[in-house]
């Protein structure tokens, strides 16, 4: 939420680290990444192969797994776009935060179906629940 608000006007992005417990994923750490997209940064983000490799390495060093990615949708709902669908991979969680006029709002998580036909929403629970 903070990264999305601070990057308002452009999509913020980053990675999710943690552990996988079957159908439950526990996010233990986040790592903000630079949006490496050349154009349309207000509605697109790009994580480079180098950043992805670095994230995999950091996960291993920390004894965790790379669970997925987060990004913001400036002035749009927290729902995957057609672009998100075309660029996602199964298994990974994709957390999206809606940021309206600089204020973070709704946060939702999705996972791509194995057949790549769409996303299924994942429940987000805080550690206090």
């Amino acid at each position: 939420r903070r990264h999305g608000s601070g990057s308002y006007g452009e999509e913020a992005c980053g990675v999710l680290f943690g552990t996988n417990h079957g159908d439950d994923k526990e996010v233990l750490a986040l790592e903000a990444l630079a949006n490496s997209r050349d154009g349309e940064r207000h509605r697109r983000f790009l994580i480079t192969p180098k950043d992805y490799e670095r994230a995999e390495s950091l996960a291993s060093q920390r004894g965790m797994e790379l669970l997925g990615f987060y990004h913001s949708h400036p002035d749009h709902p927290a729902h995957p776009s057609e672009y998100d669908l075309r660029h996602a991979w199964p298994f990974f969680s994709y957390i999206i935060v809606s940021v309206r006029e600089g204020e973070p709002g709704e946060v939702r998580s999705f996972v791509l179906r194995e057949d790549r036909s769409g996303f299924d929403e994942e429940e987000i629970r805080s550690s206090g629940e």
Side-chain angles (χ1 to χ4, degrees):
R1 293 172 52 90
R2 185 173 34 251
H3 188 192
S5 180
S7 297
Y8 178 70
E10 297 184 353
E11 286 197 5
C13 59
V15 293
L16 311 168
F17 299 112
T19 57
N20 184 7
H21 308 282
D23 289 338
D24 289 326
K25 298 172 188 167
E26 184 177 12
V27 176
L28 301 170
L30 305 173
E31 181 85 19
L33 296 175
N35 181 347
S36 296
R37 177 94 180 175
D38 285 332
E40 295 186 288
R41 292 165 60 108
H42 65 285
R43 50 185 245 132
R44 302 280 187 262
F45 74 96
L46 174 68
I47 295 173
T48 65
K50 182 178 178 179
D51 284 337
Y52 180 86
E53 289 176 14
R54 182 176 161 271
E56 283 280 4
S57 178
L58 281 173
S60 180
Q61 290 171 19
R62 296 174 178 178
M64 293 186 263
E65 295 177 56
L66 176 58
L67 297 179
F69 306 91
Y70 71 84
H71 71 281
S72 63
H73 279 183
D75 298 318
H76 286 281
H79 192 273
S81 65
E82 186 63 33
Y83 180 87
D84 294 335
L85 177 65
R86 288 193 316 267
H87 292 88
W89 297 312
F91 168 76
F92 286 124
S93 292
Y94 291 90
I95 293 179
I96 303 172
V97 59
S98 175
V99 181
R100 303 262 182 195
E101 297 179 7
E103 293 299 318
E106 183 179 36
V107 179
R108 297 170 70 189
S109 184
F110 302 88
V111 64
L112 183 66
R113 293 181 194 130
E114 289 285 332
D115 66 4
R116 302 186 59 82
S117 65
F119 288 92
D120 292 317
E121 189 162 3
E122 298 179 298
E123 181 182 4
I124 298 176
R125 294 185 313 265
S126 70
S127 59
E129 293 181 27

